[in-house]
Amino acid sequence: MKKIAVFPGSFDPITRGHESIIRRALPVFDEIIVALGDNPEKKSYFPLANRSKWLELVFGDEPKVRIVKYSGLTVDFCMRMNAGYILRGLRTSADFEFERTIGLMNKAISPAIETVFFLSAPEYAALSSSVVRDILRNGGDVSKFVPQKISGEIHRTVSS
Ligand code: ADP
């Protein structure tokens, strides 16, 4: 059976931290579905269309990565995609506590789906989409923190 993992998130915007987790997990899975959450209750900084386009640009040349928008429960989405794994990244003990709760609840709902954690690369352990958004709101340069391919577009989008 194909080993399919879902990497869920809001990617508002995608950072080098997300990219690193996905690329490092590629040898472990046959396919990684980057699941872009469309959650109307969570107000995003960038529109869904931009977040989706940037993910496509970053992973367009990677045949094992697929970008899919979703809403609703992550485990239901995994079932629809035939995915047996949820991939998550861990930066800090706070991430761990947060992820543990979600992971245990997901396990209670869908015991067949396993959550797999990758530790953040040390150079990205302090990086988050929210820090990137704060820098952008204040006119700063995020080119070190977001994938190189999309850095120019992100800055142009903010200044337009
Ligand atoms: P959410 O909206 O669920 O917080 P994010 O888009 O912020 O989604 O993150 C999705 C996943 O990526 C989460 O598992 C998160 O822990 C992980 N992640 C985010 N930033 C980093 C980073 N710098 N290093 C490693 N993992 C990260």
Side-chain angles (χ1 to χ4, degrees):
M1 215 171 83
K2 254 179 104 178
K3 281 203 181 78
I4 304 176
V6 160
F7 185 55
S10 25
F11 307 106
D12 190 23
I14 179 174
T15 68
R16 290 192 187 199
H18 297 126
E19 183 188 13
S20 147
I21 295 285
I22 295 165
R23 295 206 189 277
R24 285 168 52 212
L26 274 174
V28 178
F29 299 104
D30 298 311
E31 182 177 22
I32 296 180
I33 298 172
V34 180
L36 174 56
D38 180 9
N39 181 354
E41 274 166 37
K42 209 167 155 182
K43 178 99 183 69
S44 67
Y45 183 65
F46 289 111
L48 192 69
N50 293 54
R51 289 183 275 145
S52 169
K53 186 173 82 176
W54 293 335
L55 287 167
E56 296 281 2
L57 276 172
V58 174
F59 296 108
D61 54 3
E62 179 44 71
K64 283 166 79 178
V65 174
R66 196 146 58 104
I67 316 298
V68 182
K69 299 184 193 93
Y70 86 109
S71 55
L73 291 179
T74 304
V75 284
D76 290 344
F77 176 74
C78 290
M79 301 283 209
R80 290 203 296 280
M81 296 287 119
N82 282 322
Y85 305 90
I86 297 173
L87 173 64
R88 298 292 284 176
L90 293 177
R91 287 160 291 188
T92 59
S93 53
D95 268 359
F96 173 73
E97 284 305 329
F98 178 75
E99 295 292 343
R100 189 166 70 108
T101 309
I102 298 178
L104 288 173
M105 286 311 291
N106 283 338
K107 189 80 183 156
I109 303 168
S110 297
I113 298 174
E114 295 291 353
T115 305
V116 176
F117 298 104
F118 270 59
L119 288 180
S120 170
E123 62 270 36
Y124 301 132
L127 177 56
S128 65
S129 295
S130 66
V131 165
V132 167
R133 293 195 298 271
D134 279 347
I135 298 171
L136 289 169
R137 275 193 200 99
N138 292 291
D141 177 5
V142 297
S143 50
K144 271 196 290 201
F145 307 124
V146 299
Q148 205 189 342
K149 262 191 183 166
I150 59 165
S151 170
E153 267 212 52
I154 289 183
H155 284 107
R156 279 193 293 280
T157 305
V158 171
S159 56
S160 69

